[in-house]
Amino acid sequence: MNVRHATPEDAEAIAKVHVAGWRTAYRGFVPDAELDALRWQDRVADWRERTAPGSTVTVLVAEDDGGLVGFASSGPPRDEDLVAGRAWELYAIYLGPSTWRRGVGTALLRSTIEAVPTHVPALVLWVLDGNARARGFYERNGFVPDGTTVPSRLGPQYQDLRYRIEIPRSGGEA
Ligand SMILES: CC(C)(COP(=O)(O)OP(=O)(O)OC[C@H]1O[C@@H](n2cnc3c(N)ncnc32)[C@H](O)[C@@H]1OP(=O)(O)O)[C@@H](O)C(=O)NCCC(=O)NCCS
């Protein structure tokens, strides 16, 4: 298994993993009809843009002999309460369901943390409160909830929780 930076040629494979991951992760939270209607073809253009040279988004992909099995995207934080330069955000991390629980997520997460600019001391992410698999994964990897919650865009009955990890930096403040 290899982790590398994505290129626009990966956009189609990333879109397929994204939709497959969504369908499995959010089954039970999002109506089946909505999940079944998702089309990877609708997401290719966005991934092409995010992986293009000059994009502010870092997209890492994991691949094995059979091709691309997962991706993680990260970049500057979107939340206004986070001071620019003091935190980075993991926007998304998705694997195809057949690849879950084999350490690929951990490898993508470690590479994402390594790719955070060296002067930035923390990484944050948003996760659905009911996504126990992902929360277990993040907690196992050292993330903790920072106490910030918002109603989820999946529906008013759900909350999104913000998690955070402080990145150890040798050599102190930049
Ligand atoms: C979340 C995700 C990226 C984790 O990747 P992964 O490769 O399966 O994780 P790893 O194999 O590296 O697992 C590491 C740890 O995560 C935790 N974990 C993984 N699956 C879990 C589950 N079903 N329940 C509880 N904890 C789980 C465990 O602590 C696991 O360690 P262990 O197997 O030694 O107990 C992957 O499951 C995924 O793509 N899920 C669907 C998309 C998603 O929900 N993304 C996050 C959106 S915020």
Side-chain angles (χ1 to χ4, degrees):
M1 207 268 305
N2 177 45
V3 175
R4 61 167 174 82
H5 283 269
T7 71
E9 286 73 51
D10 296 312
E12 199 173 301
I14 295 172
K16 286 178 184 169
V17 166
H18 198 184
V19 166
W22 244 83
R23 283 210 176 107
T24 321
Y26 299 115
R27 187 82 56 192
F29 297 102
V30 174
D32 281 358
E34 239 176 80
L35 290 174
D36 296 341
L38 292 173
R39 294 174 70 247
W40 61 264
Q41 291 88 341
D42 296 337
R43 297 177 181 225
V44 176
D46 281 348
W47 285 111
R48 222 171 255 139
E49 202 172 300
R50 291 177 192 129
T51 52
S55 163
T56 59
V57 182
T58 297
V59 185
L60 299 174
V61 291
E63 58 190 355
D64 64 15
D65 294 343
L68 194 148
V69 294
F71 72 89
S73 63
S74 57
R78 294 167 295 179
D79 299 336
E80 284 175 4
D81 68 316
L82 294 173
V83 179
R86 303 302 295 164
W88 214 240
E89 181 174 349
L90 173 66
Y91 303 131
I93 181 165
Y94 281 83
L95 313 178
S98 59
T99 319
W100 289 358
R101 224 148 191 177
R102 285 169 30 196
V104 178
T106 299
L108 275 169
L109 195 53
R110 290 206 178 127
S111 298
T112 296
I113 290 172
E114 280 165 20
V116 173
T118 49
H119 65 280
V120 178
L123 181 64
V124 301
L125 59 87
W126 285 97
V127 60
L128 180 69
D129 55 358
N131 191 349
R133 182 185 307 105
R135 289 179 62 185
F137 166 74
Y138 295 134
E139 287 167 15
R140 167 86 192 271
N141 282 287
F143 283 81
V144 289
D146 78 353
T148 313
T149 64
V150 294
S152 172
R153 66 194 162 95
L154 296 187
Q157 68 276 43
Y158 304 125
Q159 295 259 304
D160 285 338
L161 316 178
R162 194 167 70 189
Y163 274 67
R164 178 181 181 99
I165 190 171
E166 306 301 327
I167 304 172
R169 299 291 189 198
S170 54
E173 293 283 294

